[in-house]
Amino acid sequence: MRETPSIHKSAVIDESAVIGRDASIGPNVYIGKNVHIQDNVSIGANTCVLENTIIADFVTIGSNSTIGGVGFGYELNDEGQYELIPHLEM
């Protein structure tokens, strides 16, 4: 079940961010510069959406998440060292 569309009063949203229709943004959410949140998106409490991130229609993001930052994608390379694997949208 989707939340009723609303933006919690404790959310911090950069003035350059674009928020689509029927978005639900929970308590203590931070939305950075040039973020584009499309329609019917739900973002749980204590989540950070970092600059230049695009979130598509009908996406649900749970609480305590960081979106748009470096993830935990590491893989051993041929020399036995861990190498960061970028998380890219295809």
Side-chain angles (χ1 to χ4, degrees), residues 50-72:
L50 302 178
E51 66 181 41
N52 302 316
T53 297
I54 299 170
I55 300 174
D57 292 336
F58 294 98
V59 170
T60 299
I61 299 169
S63 296
N64 304 307
S65 300
T66 299
I67 307 299
V70 175
F72 294 106

Side-chain angles (χ1 to χ4, degrees):
M1 183 170 98
R2 295 193 70 80
E3 295 180 32
T4 302
S6 65
I7 297 175
H8 195 273
K9 63 183 177 181
S10 64
V12 175
I13 301 173
D14 188 87
E15 63 185 26
S16 65
V18 176
I19 309 295
R21 292 186 322 261
D22 298 326
S24 296
I25 299 175
N28 304 312
V29 169
Y30 169 78
I31 297 176
K33 293 180 182 179
N34 302 315
V35 169
H36 290 262
I37 296 174
Q38 295 179 352
D39 299 338
N40 300 293
V41 170
S42 179
I43 301 175
N46 304 313
T47 291
C48 292
V49 182
L50 302 178
E51 66 181 41
N52 302 316
T53 297
I54 299 170
I55 300 174
D57 292 336
F58 294 98
V59 170
T60 299
I61 299 169
S63 296
N64 304 307
S65 300
T66 299
I67 307 299
V70 175
F72 294 106
Y74 291 88
E75 187 71 32
L76 281 174
N77 63 21
D78 292 337
E79 289 80 40
Q81 298 172 333
Y82 283 99
E83 209 171 300
L84 176 65
I85 306 298
H87 296 218
L88 305 172
E89 180 181 338
M90 301 307 230

